[in-house]
Amino acid sequence: VRWQEDCSRAHLAAAESLAAAFAADAVAIAALIGDQALEELLAAHRLWIGWLRSGRVRKVAVVAEKTAAS
């Protein structure tokens, strides 16, 4: 591993922003995909938000370098 960075805070912010945007436009989204699909979409984002806040999951960016075979 040449480089790594924990991106959990940025991923949490993105998930929170998406969940808020989906909730704010819920009527229009439900008209396109249906109430059940919208509820599942919101539930999935709430789940990820909870996991990221609690530290249960983390988002990590990693760069690896292939080494020459011995």
Side-chain angles (χ1 to χ4, degrees):
V1 173
R2 300 283 289 162
W3 174 86
Q4 70 181 32
E5 181 178 339
D6 189 328
C7 302
S8 299
R9 278 190 250 170
H11 195 70
L12 172 59
E16 289 172 331
S17 180
L18 283 169
F22 293 153
D25 206 15
V27 173
I29 294 169
L32 293 171
I33 66 172
D35 291 331
Q36 182 176 349
L38 173 62
E39 283 307 313
E40 291 172 3
L41 178 66
L42 291 171
H45 279 77
R46 287 191 295 264
L47 186 62
W48 272 106
I49 289 166
W51 286 349
L52 285 160
R53 279 186 186 152
S54 71
R56 180 175 180 174
V57 296
R58 295 182 336 178
K59 174 117 182 194
V60 179
V62 178
V63 175
E65 180 178 347
K66 182 178 178 180
T67 61
S70 301

